Amino acid sequence: MLNKILCIDDDSITLMLCKKVISKAEFSHEIDTAHNGVDALKYLDELIIKHQNEPNVILPQLIFLDLNMPVMNGWEFLDMFSQNNYNETFANTKVIVLSSTIDPKDIEKSKSYPMVIDFLSKPITKEMLELIKNIA
């Protein structure tokens, strides 16, 4: 079981479903959410500050990331998350793109980010989580 997961999606229903499926599958102790890339980066920035003051702060081990969001989309988030100030603190955090897109170019592009370990189609299911246990 993972200690903490972050789900990033602009759709409240998707976030609610994500939390419910992850909880029911007992896949993580804690599930945090963000409605876009900017909110997610603010959340991660707060964790960096807490982690510097308290090294035992639990960091997300996995991020489920939607691509198509307002304010800051998933690609912009990945570009920012790839930068050094996040690399150091979140070196062990993996990303799974969870999207409704079926564009093969998006799947290929996601592979160019070293922290992305998979690309899955929405909605998240218990069966998906079972498969993820082996790679997360």
Side-chain angles (χ1 to χ4, degrees):
M1 181 179 285
L2 300 180
N3 287 323
K4 186 183 287 192
I5 292 176
L6 174 62
C7 298
I8 309 169
D9 200 301
D10 61 311
D11 182 63
S12 296
I13 293 170
T14 299
L15 288 176
M16 181 186 70
L17 178 65
C18 201
K19 286 181 85 167
K20 191 168 261 186
V21 171
I22 292 168
S23 293
K24 267 194 148 169
E26 297 180 352
F27 188 71
S28 179
H29 293 290
E30 188 176 341
I31 306 146
D32 292 325
T33 61
H35 289 278
N36 57 60
V38 170
D39 289 347
L41 291 176
K42 286 179 186 174
Y43 165 84
L44 296 175
D45 288 342
E46 289 173 9
L47 282 179
I48 288 172
I49 293 167
K50 285 181 185 177
H51 188 260
Q52 289 170 345
N53 296 325
E54 304 170 44
N56 293 331
V57 167
I58 297 172
L59 303 173
Q61 293 170 276
L62 185 64
I63 295 174
F64 286 107
L65 175 67
D66 185 26
L67 294 178
N68 302 310
M69 299 178 288
V71 185
M72 178 186 282
N73 66 36
W75 300 123
E76 294 166 321
F77 171 82
L78 285 170
D79 289 340
M80 295 296 292
F81 190 63
S82 298
Q83 294 179 3
N84 287 340
N85 56 328
Y86 296 107
N87 279 353
E88 294 171 18
T89 305
F90 300 102
N92 296 321
T93 301
K94 304 300 178 199
V95 176
I96 293 179
V97 174
L98 187 62
S99 181
S100 56
T101 183
I102 55 170
D103 187 342
K105 291 178 186 171
D106 286 337
I107 297 168
E108 279 306 307
K109 184 176 179 179
S110 71
K111 292 177 183 177
S112 70
Y113 293 92
M115 74 287 291
V116 175
I117 59 170
D118 210 345
F119 189 106
L120 301 173
S121 295
K122 288 182 186 179
I124 193 166
T125 64
K126 186 176 180 181
E127 291 77 22
M128 284 179 184
L129 296 176
E130 289 298 322
L131 295 172
I132 293 167
K133 281 182 184 178
N134 299 326
I135 60 173

